[in-house]
Amino acid sequence: MLQRAGIQSVVLECRSRAYVEQRVRAGLLEHNTVELLHELGVGERLAREGLEHHGIYLRQPGRTQYLDMFELTGRAITIYGQQEVVKDLIAARVAAGGALHFEVADVAVHDLDSEHPHITYVHAGEPQELHCDLIAGCDGFHGICRQSIPTGVLTEHEYVYPFSWLGILAEAAPATEELIYAWHEHGFALYSMRSPRISRLYLQVPADELIEDWPDERIWAELQVRLASEDWQVNEGPIFEKGITPMRSFVCEPLHHGNLFLLGDAAHIVPPTGAKGLNLALNDVRLLAPAIVDWCESGSRASLDSYSQTALRRVWRAQDFSNYMTQLLHNLGDDRFQRRLQLARLDYLARSRAAARSLAENYVGLPAAPDF
């Protein structure tokens, strides 16, 4: 986005190109995200290989309801792996001759309050120093950018859920054309996919669970139980990746300090139930890039100074929706009252078009207007 406006930038990445192009993360793109990638000219493979979905199934023992999100909102979602988006963006960056350095080390940011902050790092064994006008901290939750902001500047909000997700990738054709979100007394399960041949599935497990305690046979057996439906079963196949992901919510405010701006996981984490992580990161970019262009062209910092407030409005909306989906579908313990509330909410979604439309609107992505 900056390159289209003639603004130079340098991308520093601590991992190798091969690593970031293979690292499996999110896979659900909101309507806005798909439109942005096409607008930037990096959507050719997405259009060819992405799986467009018009709804989701909400399942509980003895009942499955379909939420037709396209009918409710006129918008769709697309299944296309985050690593595939990364491949497309890297290829476009390289083809355009943009500066992109992999396997850098010892990165540090300096003089954030000055007009020209700088970054020191090591690349190919040689110390380097990069003088900047602005720094975009897109370096994840454990990166150095947020940690470099002086103590007392940021307010951090965090909520840790008492459970995790066990996720697998399997060489098995999906047995469903749309995602299935399943409520079950044993815990939540999600049936997703990455391609017509690869299934992506998840199970709710205790927060302290060890992946070694889940051999493949146990995983498939539990998926069959939690996703059970009459005359239907999960397609099984070789599992080639599995892991356990903690569930938490995190937001820091504001999303900038001096000439350092935070984007994506460096600024906020959402539980994956609402599929918002990657899409929120792209929305941060969608807001910050034009603000940088405006500053470079007009000299006004108004858009830069309002970036945090504007981005956080959508971040907190996504936090609320992700928490809602998580509380709706996960086993919250032995509290029978909470369990009955969950079932009542699922029933309400089946009976109320307004409730279904609210869920659908948030799931496919709110409009890309400034107010959101």
Side-chain angles (χ1 to χ4, degrees), residues 41-185:
V42 292
E44 180 181 351
R45 199 161 63 91
L46 165 63
R48 186 172 64 249
E49 301 178 13
L51 306 175
E52 184 174 282
H53 285 200
H54 286 186
I56 61 171
Y57 292 102
L58 295 176
R59 178 168 293 173
Q60 61 197 84
R63 181 177 187 177
T64 299
Q65 53 179 296
Y66 180 65
L67 265 66
D68 190 332
M69 298 189 177
F70 189 80
E71 190 274 331
L72 289 163
T73 68
R75 297 155 72 82
I77 58 170
T78 300
I79 303 299
Y80 189 68
Q82 178 172 320
Q83 73 274 17
E84 305 306 323
V85 175
V86 169
K87 288 177 187 176
D88 297 338
L89 293 174
I90 290 175
R93 177 75 171 178
V94 171
L100 173 54
H101 303 311
F102 292 100
E103 298 182 88
V104 302
D106 300 329
V107 181
V109 296
H110 311 272
D111 299 330
L112 301 179
D113 289 313
S114 73
E115 291 187 3
H116 297 288
H118 66 281
I119 305 172
T120 55
Y121 62 99
V122 175
H123 184 232
E126 296 294 327
Q128 305 287 340
E129 186 166 337
L130 185 64
H131 292 269
C132 320
D133 294 310
L134 303 171
I135 298 173
C138 313
D139 54 343
F141 184 78
H142 299 289
I144 56 96
C145 284
R146 189 181 72 253
Q147 297 175 24
S148 299
I149 294 175
T151 302
V153 171
L154 300 178
T155 299
E156 298 186 350
H157 312 271
E158 185 172 23
Y159 179 78
V160 179
Y161 292 88
F163 41 77
S164 298
W165 272 17
L166 187 159
I168 66 167
L169 281 166
E171 295 177 8
T176 176
E177 294 183 353
E178 304 274 21
L179 275 64
I180 302 173
Y181 285 75
W183 179 97
H184 194 277
E185 291 183 353

Side-chain angles (χ1 to χ4, degrees), residues 11 13 16 73 241 263 266-267 283 285 288 300 331 334 346 359 369:
V11 180
E13 167 61 55
S16 69
T73 68
E241 183 171 309
L263 300 87
N283 187 69
V285 170
L288 184 60
S300 171
N331 186 325
D334 296 328
L346 287 167
L359 190 156

Side-chain angles (χ1 to χ4, degrees), residues 232-359:
W232 179 93
Q233 63 179 12
V234 176
N235 283 344
E236 300 183 13
I239 296 174
F240 60 91
E241 183 171 309
K242 60 182 175 180
I244 293 178
T245 302
M247 299 277 283
R248 70 176 182 273
S249 295
F250 172 85
V251 181
C252 74
E253 330 184 70
L255 303 186
H256 71 93
H257 173 66
N259 283 315
L260 168 66
F261 295 82
L262 301 177
L263 300 87
D265 286 2
H268 42 74
I269 298 286
V270 290
T273 326
K276 294 301 166 200
L278 165 62
N279 296 291
L280 274 182
L282 263 291
N283 187 69
D284 292 344
V285 170
R286 185 181 62 81
L287 294 172
L288 184 60
I292 295 174
V293 173
D294 182 52
W295 175 64
C296 289
E297 293 180 348
S298 72
S300 171
R301 288 187 62 97
S303 296
L304 284 175
D305 292 341
S306 65
Y307 160 72
S308 179
Q309 180 180 359
T310 305
L312 282 168
R313 187 179 297 118
R314 195 181 192 98
V315 167
W316 280 111
R317 175 84 295 275
Q319 288 286 0
D320 180 46
F321 177 68
S322 299
N323 178 266
Y324 164 77
M325 290 288 286
T326 303
Q327 299 284 350
L328 174 69
L329 294 162
H330 286 71
N331 186 325
L332 303 178
D334 296 328
D335 190 331
R336 289 181 295 174
F337 183 79
Q338 290 295 330
R339 187 171 300 177
R340 291 297 298 170
L341 289 179
Q342 289 176 316
L343 295 175
R345 290 170 188 144
L346 287 167
D347 183 62
Y348 182 53
L349 286 168
R351 297 175 182 275
S352 169
R353 180 177 177 84
R357 184 176 180 180
S358 176
L359 190 156

